[in-house]
């Protein structure tokens, strides 16, 4: 059964709602690419003859507000497509399915929806690694900053007799090849399930947009800013273990279920699935639009919004504030490394079309 890693819910100081600036930036970077693909590649003539509704799913929607911006961008682009082809009178009604794990804060999501939205909204709890919708039901699928979350931590990382036992580490950053391979194998399994499910749910000619963390072909993750951040978090946890604030075994048994695939890996998985054509695939650089001042506290708040729940579940409530204060200090000390890390594209944007 897939594990659940919800973002911090609500609207408080440490919530995802208040600390999702970087995702917002990434979505803005990809907006033009998605609108262009809809204008050039979406087969609306096939859809118009069989239905008066256009069904969109956002998989891994979290709690907003970024999902609402993304969905409106897609609706606007589809409407423009109809108008540009002289089919304004045939513009369908839109239905949007907001999906995330059962543990997601759907209350915050549903109560913060735009009142003037141009679509009917539905909440769909469940893992997107499995089927969520009837066959040939969806016309468009979006998944932004969700697919880099693995469905589970690879079991080998917790086995002391395995070459992939990840003692003293919390990620594959700076880890052995066996650890990297275990992460890659789990991502492959998850992505195969995701593509198989979507191939059944999307209509022929339907489109899917995937935006996720990415890594250039052959580049170690330690060269990326996110890898340095994970190493800082790991260092903080090990320091706390040395001070007796938590146990060494707790650190050894904790691993972040995050994997950033390369363009080559995604290409191979899509081609192996065989149900989609790759319309566009590229690493884009969201950092060109990010805050040029390098706000360290904002970076750490972003990490806290995303990872607090999984850390709290493993280590308990008591260490949380101390841990993130230490992380803030550690990142400040290491920020020159983050600023000098690889500055090219680390956001993988993929546009697929159902054959």
């Amino acid at each position: 059964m897939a594990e659940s890693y919800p973002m911090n819910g609500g609207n408080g100081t440490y919530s995802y709602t208040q600390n999702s600036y970087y995702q917002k930036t990434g979505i803005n970077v990809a907006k033009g690419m998605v609108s262009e693909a809809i204008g050039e590649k979406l087969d609306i003539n096939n859809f118009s003859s069989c239905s008066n509704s256009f069904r969109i799913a956002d998989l891994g929607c979290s709690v907003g507000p970024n999902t609402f911006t993304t969905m409106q961008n897609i609706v606007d682009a589809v409407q423009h497509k109809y108008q540009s082809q002289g089919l304004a009178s045939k513009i369908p009604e839109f239905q949007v399915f907001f999906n995330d794990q059962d543990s997601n804060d759907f209350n915050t999501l549903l109560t913060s929806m735009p009142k003037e939205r141009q679509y009917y909204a539905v909440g769909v709890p469940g893992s997107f690694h499995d089927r969520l919708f009837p066959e040939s039901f969806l016309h468009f699928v979006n998944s932004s900053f969700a697919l880099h979350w693995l469905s589970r931590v690879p079991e080998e990382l917790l086995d002391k007799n395995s070459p992939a036992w990840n003692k003293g580490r919390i990620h594959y950053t700076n880890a052995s090849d066996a650890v990297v391979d275990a992460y890659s194998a789990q991502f492959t399994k998850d992505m195969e399930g995701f593509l198989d499910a979507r191939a059944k749910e999307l209509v022929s000619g339907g489109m899917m947009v995937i935006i996720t963390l990415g890594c250039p072909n052959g580049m170690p993750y330690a060269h990326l800013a996110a890898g340095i951040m994970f190493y800082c978090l790991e260092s903080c946890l090990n320091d706390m273990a040395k001070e007796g604030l938590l146990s060494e075994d707790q650190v050894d048994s904790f691993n972040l279920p995050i994997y950033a695939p390369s363009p080559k890996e995604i290409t191979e998985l899509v081609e192996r699935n065989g149900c989609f054509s790759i319309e566009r695939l590229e690493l884009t650089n969201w950092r060109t639009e990010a805050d040029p001042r390098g706000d360290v506290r904002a970076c750490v708040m972003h990490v806290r919004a995303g990872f607090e729940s999984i850390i709290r579940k493993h280590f308990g409530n008591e260490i949380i504030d101390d841990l993130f204060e230490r992380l803030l200090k550690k990142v400040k000390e290491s920020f020159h490394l983050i600023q000098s890390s690889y500055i090219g594209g680390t956001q993988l944007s993929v546009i697929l079309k159902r054959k």
Side-chain angles (χ1 to χ4, degrees):
M1 182 176 180
E3 297 179 23
S4 182
Y5 314 112
M7 304 293 102
N8 278 355
N11 292 288
T13 302
Y14 305 116
S15 67
Y16 176 85
T17 301
Q18 298 297 327
N19 296 283
S20 56
Y21 168 78
Y22 294 106
Q23 285 91 342
K24 178 181 179 181
T25 299
I27 290 167
N28 288 339
V29 167
K31 178 182 177 182
M33 182 192 307
V34 174
S35 297
E36 181 180 299
I38 290 172
E40 296 178 357
K41 303 291 186 178
L42 190 65
D43 295 335
I44 61 171
N45 291 321
N46 291 343
F47 305 155
S48 299
S49 62
C50 61
S51 176
N52 65 345
S53 66
F54 190 94
R55 294 180 287 274
I56 307 167
D58 191 23
L59 307 182
C61 64
S62 192
V63 295
N66 293 329
T67 184
F68 306 133
T69 300
T70 302
M71 293 302 98
Q72 190 58 53
N73 290 342
I74 292 170
V75 169
D76 289 344
V78 174
Q79 288 178 329
H80 183 264
K81 171 83 171 185
Y82 275 85
Q83 291 166 348
S84 67
Q85 295 197 358
L87 299 172
S89 62
K90 295 186 178 181
I91 292 177
E93 294 184 304
F94 293 90
Q95 190 171 22
V96 174
F97 298 86
F98 293 94
N99 158 259
D100 214 308
Q101 293 277 8
D102 299 0
S103 55
N104 186 55
D105 184 2
F106 281 97
N107 284 336
T108 295
L109 173 74
L110 297 174
T111 56
S112 58
M113 281 186 176
K115 289 183 171 53
E116 301 302 320
R117 60 184 180 272
Q118 297 174 287
Y119 51 82
Y120 297 97
V122 182
V124 181
S127 171
F128 54 51
H129 294 110
D130 300 315
R131 287 283 301 276
L132 293 164
F133 302 97
E135 189 170 343
S136 299
F137 180 75
L138 299 172
H139 301 94
F140 201 98
V141 170
N142 179 81
S143 183
S144 298
F145 301 103
L147 275 169
H148 53 262
W149 284 95
L150 300 177
S151 66
R152 55 175 52 82
V153 171
E155 294 179 358
E156 306 97 299
L157 306 184
L158 308 178
D159 182 357
K160 294 182 180 181
N161 297 315
S162 168
W165 183 39
N166 208 21
K167 178 177 173 57
R169 300 193 184 281
I170 66 169
H171 192 240
Y172 64 90
T173 302
N174 291 321
S176 68
D177 289 345
V179 172
V180 177
D181 291 344
Y183 269 91
S184 177
Q186 185 62 55
F187 177 80
T188 295
K189 182 179 179 181
D190 288 348
M191 193 65 185
E192 286 175 341
F194 178 88
L195 290 172
D196 286 345
R198 303 298 83 78
K200 293 181 176 68
E201 295 166 352
L202 269 166
V203 300
S204 177
M207 296 186 69
M208 178 158 62
V209 172
I210 296 170
I211 301 172
T212 185
L213 300 183
C215 187
N217 294 330
M219 180 174 287
Y221 200 64
H223 292 183
L224 276 57
I228 297 170
M229 178 68 77
F230 292 161
Y231 178 75
C232 288
L233 180 60
E234 174 188 293
S235 178
C236 292
L237 288 168
N238 280 315
D239 288 345
M240 295 176 79
K242 292 174 184 176
E243 295 171 27
L245 299 175
L246 47 87
S247 73
E248 186 177 312
D249 285 344
Q250 283 180 298
V251 179
D252 292 344
S253 60
F254 179 72
N255 294 276
L256 293 172
I258 296 287
Y259 184 78
S262 67
K264 181 175 182 289
E265 288 175 289
I266 291 294
T267 298
E268 290 176 350
L269 286 166
V270 172
E271 290 178 347
R272 188 187 310 164
N273 174 271
C275 296
F276 298 92
S277 61
I278 299 175
E279 302 299 326
R280 192 162 176 178
L281 186 154
E282 63 183 69
L283 283 168
T284 51
N285 189 359
W286 61 268
R287 292 175 72 175
T288 58
E289 290 194 9
D291 185 352
R293 296 169 298 176
D295 189 335
V296 178
R297 183 171 291 276
C299 289
V300 173
M301 292 285 277
H302 170 75
V303 172
R304 181 164 182 170
F307 295 106
E308 180 174 344
S309 67
I310 187 174
I311 293 171
R312 186 186 299 276
K313 181 178 180 180
H314 187 85
F315 293 100
N317 297 329
E318 296 76 13
I319 73 161
I320 296 299
D321 289 336
D322 185 14
L323 172 62
F324 284 102
E325 282 301 316
R326 289 169 182 257
L327 182 60
L328 178 61
K329 181 179 179 181
K330 188 83 69 173
V331 173
K332 284 180 178 178
E333 294 170 353
S334 305
F335 205 66
H336 65 286
L337 296 176
I338 294 176
Q339 289 181 311
S340 61
S341 64
Y342 174 72
I343 60 173
T346 57
Q347 172 178 306
L348 188 56
S349 301
V350 188
I351 298 176
L352 304 177
K353 186 173 179 179
R354 182 67 171 91
K355 293 180 180 178

